[in-house]
């Protein structure tokens, strides 16, 4: 069990400075230990700073410095989480001092190469062998751990693009009376870097079969989407009135995915109206359907 004085040492660090957290642990420092012998002689000298040898962590070189201050020095820019330790010989455990309590992260760069603790531990406490045990046979040991967060440089950018390419794709279904497929697809067209098709059910065999002619917009290259990838589109689908320009138009919006790559209108136009000659939708056995994507999401992976 820790004494009341030892517990106060840990708690006082947290309360007196919100940027520092102190606690004890049984695991030694992972990256570096720095032992100083004849510590009493050192503490009585006028030497202001001691520099240890360097150690490597996370692909960078680090130097712990020691006297009244203890800090880390690095020559390159990074984000890191750092910990400093004093080994308590009395019970072989470690006073752990973690910098930057909110997240434990500090950014180093060429204008800011040092980070540490101006008041790591009171000298009186360090010298108090009976109650704390940091000094043993006139020696003390410091340790350091540095965990580097390496930026891989990749990020995802999602943009909403209005009126992409300003393209209306027009599909003429010639000899419409002879089309006998249950589902009929147009050729592919490109909008927003993606390939699309129009899908129709020409012989009243669609999802609204018996009464309606159905038209859908299909993301035809959905199999190239990344895992859980999505493409948003706002669109217009039209069946053109070739006689009086009284077109049937439906609008929609949808997040297209690999498993849900088709969206549209089951009840685009009644089959009776579609085949009525006076309506003008089928002229010279040709039906015309067009599609326009008015808003689309574009995702880019950058580095």
């Amino acid at each position: 069990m820790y004494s009341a004085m030892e517990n106060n040492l840990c708690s006082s660090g947290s309360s007196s400075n919100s940027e520092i957290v102190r606690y004890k642990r049984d695991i030694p420092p992972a990256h570096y230990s720095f032992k100083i012998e004849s510590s009493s002689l050192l503490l009585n000298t006028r030497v202001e700073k001691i520099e240890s040898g360097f150690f490597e962590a996370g692909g960078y070189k680090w130097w712990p410095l020691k006297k009244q201050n203890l800090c880390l020095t690095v020559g390159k820019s990074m984000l890191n989480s750092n910990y400093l330790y004093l080994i308590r010989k009395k019970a072989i455990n470690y006073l752990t001092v973690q910098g930057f309590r909110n997240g434990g992260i500090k950014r180093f760069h060429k204008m800011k190469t040092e980070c540490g603790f101006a008041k790591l531990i009171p000298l009186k406490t360090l010298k108090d062998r009976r109650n704390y045990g940091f000094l043993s046979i006139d020696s003390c040991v410091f340790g350091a751990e540095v965990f580097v967060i390496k930026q891989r440089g990749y990020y995802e950018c999602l943009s909403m693009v209005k009126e992409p390419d300003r393209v209306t794709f027009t599909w003429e279904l010639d000899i419409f009376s002879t089309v006998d497929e249950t589902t009929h697809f147009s050729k592919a067209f490109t909008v927003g870097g993606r390939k699309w098709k129009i899908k129709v059910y020409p012989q009243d065999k669609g999802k609204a079969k018996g009464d309606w002619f159905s038209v859908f917009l299909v993301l035809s290259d959905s199999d190239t989407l990344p895992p859980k990838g999505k493409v948003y589109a706002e669109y217009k689908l039209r069946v053109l009135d070739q006689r009086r320009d009284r077109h049937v138009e439906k609008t929609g919006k949808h997040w297209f995915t690999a498993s849900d790559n088709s969206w549209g209108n089951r009840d685009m136009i009644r089959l009776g109206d579609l085949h009525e000659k006076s309506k003008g939708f089928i002229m010279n056995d040709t039906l015309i359907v067009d599609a326009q994507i008015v808003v689309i999401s574009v995702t880019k992976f950058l580095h």
Side-chain angles (χ1 to χ4, degrees), residues 196 217 231-235 252-256 293 295-297:
W196 305 85
L217 180 67
V231 178
Y232 176 81
E234 295 180 11
Y235 59 86
K253 54 186 177 181
H254 187 61
W255 281 100
F256 293 83
I293 297 177
V295 176
I296 190 172
S297 68

Side-chain angles (χ1 to χ4, degrees), residues 156-162 164-165 191-194 196 230-233 255 293 295-301:
E156 181 178 344
C157 179
L158 173 67
S159 301
M160 291 293 182
V161 181
K162 186 177 181 179
D165 307 327
V191 177
R194 286 288 172 185
W196 305 85
K230 297 181 179 181
V231 178
Y232 176 81
W255 281 100
I293 297 177
V295 176
I296 190 172
S297 68
V298 177
T299 301
K300 296 180 180 180
F301 295 90

Side-chain angles (χ1 to χ4, degrees), residues 2-16 22 24 95 125 132:
Y2 299 126
S3 67
M5 295 180 67
E6 292 169 331
N7 290 329
N8 288 338
L9 175 61
C10 291
S11 61
S12 63
S14 297
S15 60
S16 62
R22 290 181 170 90
K24 295 185 181 74
L95 170 65
T125 300
Y132 295 98

Side-chain angles (χ1 to χ4, degrees), residues 219 222-223 225-226 228-230 254-262:
L219 179 61
S222 61
D223 58 334
L225 289 172
K228 297 185 179 181
K230 297 181 179 181
H254 187 61
W255 281 100
F256 293 83
T257 67
S259 61
D260 186 15
N261 67 346
S262 176

Side-chain angles (χ1 to χ4, degrees), residues 51 53 59 77 135 242 283:
E51 182 173 333
S77 173
L135 288 177
Q242 302 174 58
M283 298 289 292

